[in-house]
Amino acid sequence: MEFSETVSRSSGTQAVPRRGLGAHGPEVPVFGLGSWNTWDRMTTDEAAELVARAVARGVNLFDVAHYNFGPHAENAVTDILFGEAVRGAGLSRADYLLCGKLWLWDYPKASFAEQLDVSLARVGTDRADFVVVGDHLGALDVPAVVTDVAEQVRAGRFTAWGVNNWSADDLGAAHRFAVAEGMEPPSFAQLKYSLARRSVPEGEPYGRLFDEAGLGLQASDAFEGGILAGKLHPQRKIGADPGGIRERIRESYPQVLRIAEGFGATPAQLALAFTLTHRAAASVLFGASGLEQFEANLGALELLERHGTELREAVAGLWLDRDVVHPGASWGTDAPAN
């Protein structure tokens, strides 16, 4: 799939490129800032400064969620802190794109309408731009989910949506049902995608959806909680470990460092640039603890421009979940490959 890519300018500074979030999805910057354990890693003033700088550089996509469901039932306040940062930065709602989340852990008991009421109020807005419907393990009533999402689209709560931690079969079924019923279909999949974890985004089941349904890829967990960026023993909670390969990822870091240095880049820049070489990649989400780290990460774009065609070959040996995680499985499972 090919995506048109444009470059805009903000306050005299060249902004990051933008791509379509799927063939029929909204245009987004290739970088977005995630919310889990991001805004609670700095002071309110520092967060406001980071948000303002990100928007000025064209990174105006923010993935923000209310983390209080299922394994995320931790009553995190990172979404509230994000709202405070936006207000502290003096931004209007038109200045940024908000990607929210709808959780399936307690669905349908916790309806999508109720979830949005709470999550949007915590940020301090009345709408998202798009949402990710995610995290389900087991049977899913796909028509019911698609219908409920469409109801929120009609209500003006958001205009586009995608999924995470869905099997390729369920996502394909959702897309077909939505199109057949004249509802808004999913336009992207938010998937774990990194130097080490590639089986799902690069597998044939999802590949067909990218190519035939025009779905886009939004990459997450590109740093494996910081491990692939050099923080080998992160103290904060990080994402799930499908396939049980995290220790192997930690052991692979010296190789990551050598490859990055060979390109004159940092490991973090290598990790980000790699994700954007995927044919369906629209954006990659990452966290940052401050301005210096954020600006350094943007150097991934120069690395991609200079060495894009070489990167995939250079990191081929770092694919650690090959033959460990089934390419069509829900990303929340540890299903082995057949």
Side-chain angles (χ1 to χ4, degrees):
M1 181 191 310
E2 294 183 357
F3 294 94
S4 61
E5 188 169 302
T6 61
V7 177
S8 60
R9 293 180 179 272
S10 176
S11 303
T13 301
Q14 183 168 321
V16 304
R18 303 177 78 86
R19 298 177 179 178
L21 190 54
H24 305 290
E27 189 179 76
V28 298
V30 296
F31 291 142
L33 286 175
S35 66
W36 195 33
N37 293 316
T38 294
W39 308 110
D40 50 2
R41 293 158 61 187
M42 60 195 82
T43 68
T44 301
D45 288 344
E46 289 170 338
E49 187 178 17
L50 176 57
V51 167
R53 177 70 63 84
V55 170
R57 295 298 303 272
V59 183
N60 67 334
L61 167 61
F62 300 97
D63 181 85
V64 180
H66 178 205
Y67 292 102
N68 201 31
F69 292 89
H72 300 302
E74 53 204 36
N75 199 27
V77 296
T78 187
D79 51 338
I80 295 175
L81 297 176
F82 169 75
E84 293 175 352
V86 166
R87 291 185 288 276
L91 299 178
S92 71
R93 181 62 184 84
D95 290 329
Y96 67 94
L97 297 172
L98 177 63
C99 180
K101 277 192 168 64
L102 295 173
W103 302 107
L104 293 169
W105 298 105
D106 297 326
Y107 172 86
K109 180 180 179 181
S111 72
F112 291 159
E114 293 168 334
Q115 291 187 45
L116 285 168
D117 287 343
V118 173
S119 62
L120 293 177
R122 287 167 65 91
V123 173
T125 185
D126 61 353
R127 64 178 177 85
D129 293 283
F130 37 96
V131 301
V132 175
V133 181
D135 283 13
H136 87 88
L137 306 177
L140 178 67
D141 187 343
V142 171
V145 170
V146 173
T147 301
D148 287 350
V149 168
E151 184 176 318
Q152 298 308 307
V153 172
R154 287 193 296 270
R157 311 298 291 276
F158 51 86
T159 59
W161 65 288
V163 309
N164 74 332
N165 292 354
W166 283 38
S167 70
D169 284 346
D170 282 344
L171 177 53
H175 191 275
R176 291 189 297 273
F177 177 80
V179 171
E181 296 297 323
M183 300 176 181
E184 185 66 30
S187 63
F188 67 99
Q190 185 185 101
L191 300 173
K192 282 179 179 286
Y193 187 44
S194 70
L195 297 168
R197 299 188 188 275
R198 311 182 199 175
S199 290
V200 173
E202 297 193 3
E204 182 181 357
Y206 259 96
R208 288 196 299 270
L209 294 175
F210 295 141
D211 296 338
E212 298 173 9
L215 293 174
L217 169 64
Q218 185 177 73
S220 67
D221 296 278
F223 296 152
E224 190 72 16
I227 293 173
L228 289 170
K231 298 179 181 178
L232 301 186
H233 300 280
Q235 298 302 304
R236 59 189 175 87
K237 184 178 179 180
I238 62 178
D241 181 18
I245 63 170
R246 183 154 294 148
E247 188 56 36
R248 291 178 60 197
I249 294 176
R250 188 174 288 113
E251 293 169 355
S252 75
Y253 178 72
Q255 185 179 359
V256 174
L257 179 60
R258 286 195 299 272
I259 295 171
E261 289 178 340
F263 285 116
T266 67
Q269 291 167 350
L270 176 66
L272 292 174
F274 166 77
T275 66
L276 294 176
T277 65
H278 191 291
R279 67 188 185 282
S283 64
V284 54
L285 304 174
F286 65 85
S289 59
L291 285 178
E292 183 177 356
Q293 187 180 62
F294 170 76
E295 290 287 353
N297 287 349
L298 296 191
L301 292 175
E302 182 181 355
L303 173 63
L304 182 65
E305 182 178 358
R306 288 187 289 114
H307 300 289
T309 58
E310 306 168 54
L311 292 179
R312 296 189 71 85
E313 181 177 353
V315 302
L318 294 172
W319 184 346
L320 300 181
D321 72 343
R322 187 198 296 266
D323 301 325
V324 175
V325 171
H326 192 289
S330 164
W331 195 240
T333 71
D334 293 345
N338 290 332

